[in-house]
Amino acid sequence: MVDMAHPHSPRIGVLALQGAFREHVEALHRCGASPVEIRTAQHLQGLHGLVLPGGESTVMAKLLVEEGLMEPLRAICCSGIRVMATCAGMILLASELPGHEDQPRLGLMDISVRRNAFGRQVDSFVSTLYVKGIDQTGNEAKDCSEPVEAVFIRAPLVERAGPDVAILATVNGAPVAVQQGNWLALSFHPELTADLRFHRWVSNVE
Ligand code: GLN
């Protein structure tokens, strides 16, 4: 379905079952995209990109199973559109989840992810990161561009990344931004800062 108000702007889905989806919707509006809140499989039609937000991955997984959304979501993620997964979204994409093997998930990306990896003492923190591969405009870049203020909230991190996974940024040597083809997974919350480069990336339709 074409958004009549913005017929040429890309339709970017935001999984809206739980968590920080409203902030992503606002960030996508600021990029000139047409965000679509995803609550049923019908909402997945005609998307040019998809955001899997942060939140509580156990709750999101339960709701995805209850709503019958797991399989349709997996199919759209494999259709070639860009997918940006943040925090709990990264957990949903991970093929391996040590200590939580039974937690339902999409399991598409060749990464092993540790939930709540930074410990209780450092529940939330902000870190200045250099993220390779993506510039301010959301386009591919060879070198690190401007640093990103990255907000981490009970964040996961990547313990193992497969051979097809590019590591774009690290904290203390641990990957916190990874990319495998059209899938971008971030441990932090880009929707909580004014830096729109990742929302521009997911809105860039080739
Ligand atoms: N700790 C949460 C989980 O395991 C993720 C936190 C977040 O998305 N900010 O699902």
Side-chain angles (χ1 to χ4, degrees):
M1 200 207 303
V2 174
D3 180 341
M4 296 315 280
H6 306 277
H8 302 298
S9 69
R11 283 171 63 83
I12 310 299
V14 181
L15 185 63
L17 296 177
Q18 189 267 340
F21 60 89
R22 286 184 193 85
E23 293 84 349
H24 281 290
V25 167
E26 278 160 30
L28 289 165
H29 273 304
R30 274 186 261 131
C31 294
S34 294
V36 181
E37 295 188 9
I38 306 295
R39 295 195 178 81
T40 70
Q42 283 75 25
H43 297 155
L44 293 169
Q45 280 168 21
L47 293 185
H48 301 110
L50 177 69
V51 175
L52 302 174
E56 181 50 50
S57 63
T58 51
V59 179
M60 256 188 237
K62 184 172 171 287
L63 293 171
L64 281 173
V65 172
E66 280 175 14
E67 302 300 323
L69 255 175
M70 197 67 94
E71 213 34 67
L73 208 54
R74 196 175 283 133
I76 191 107
C77 287
C78 293
S79 70
I81 65 167
R82 287 187 171 179
V83 179
M84 173 173 76
T86 65
C87 210
M90 171 191 263
I91 295 168
L92 285 181
L93 268 191
S95 59
E96 290 168 32
L97 204 52
H100 304 271
E101 285 81 2
D102 295 339
Q103 185 173 314
R105 57 193 181 278
L106 299 166
L108 293 169
M109 210 166 170
D110 188 11
I111 50 175
S112 176
V113 168
R114 172 78 53 189
R115 290 182 58 204
N116 305 320
F118 292 93
R120 288 195 170 273
Q121 283 77 6
V122 281
D123 246 7
S124 305
F125 61 97
V126 180
S127 181
T128 304
L129 294 182
Y130 284 91
V131 180
K132 283 190 259 179
I134 297 173
D135 71 12
Q136 291 310 107
T137 64
N139 287 306
E140 278 181 27
K142 276 210 177 65
D143 301 315
C144 292
S145 48
E146 291 284 293
V148 178
E149 287 301 299
V151 180
F152 291 82
I153 304 169
R154 294 187 304 286
L157 63 71
V158 177
E159 289 189 325
R160 184 196 65 77
D164 297 334
V165 178
I167 294 168
L168 307 185
T170 58
V171 167
N172 299 331
V176 293
V178 289
Q179 184 175 1
Q180 181 178 349
N182 290 331
W183 304 326
L184 174 68
L186 309 172
S187 300
F188 51 91
H189 285 262
E191 77 284 8
L192 298 182
T193 55
D195 194 322
L196 290 173
R197 74 184 75 180
F198 302 107
H199 293 91
R200 289 198 183 107
W201 176 85
V202 80
S203 303
N204 278 353
V205 181
E206 276 136 31

